[in-house]
Amino acid sequence: MITNSSELPDQFVQILTEHFELSPDQLTPSTTFMELDMDSLALMQLVVAAEAAFGVVLPEQIMSLSSYATLGEAARMLAPPEPRRSSNFTPPMPAT
């Protein structure tokens, strides 16, 4: 069972503690936004803060977050996209 904020991404915990004055002790992956008294406006502020912190524009699916969503669900949605790995593959040159 997940029981503490150390199981959430550090940057996500930092956003929640700094922008919403929450204690890390309150933050577990199974905690819901409703339990933290965060309404839809607070969720939009979270999205804006996450976009600024991660330097990305998050996908529209993030708007489906509700007060019933857990911090674990939100952390997965707010995670910055994985950087694309460059391939060392070079296509062969066409025969002339």
Side-chain angles (χ1 to χ4, degrees), residues 26-45:
Q26 297 174 273
L27 309 177
T28 70
S30 61
T31 302
T32 66
F33 289 107
M34 180 177 281
E35 292 170 329
L36 298 173
D37 293 324
M38 292 179 69
D39 60 12
S40 59
L41 178 58
L43 293 176
M44 290 305 304
Q45 291 171 329

Side-chain angles (χ1 to χ4, degrees), residues 17-72:
T17 57
E18 289 179 4
H19 291 272
F20 300 98
E21 299 179 5
L22 298 169
S23 166
D25 296 338
Q26 297 174 273
L27 309 177
T28 70
S30 61
T31 302
T32 66
F33 289 107
M34 180 177 281
E35 292 170 329
L36 298 173
D37 293 324
M38 292 179 69
D39 60 12
S40 59
L41 178 58
L43 293 176
M44 290 305 304
Q45 291 171 329
L46 174 62
V47 169
V48 170
E51 287 181 333
F54 297 133
V56 298
V57 175
L58 295 167
E60 286 189 30
Q61 74 185 34
I62 197 70
M63 299 306 173
S64 67
L65 277 179
S66 73
S67 295
Y68 297 101
T70 66
L71 297 183

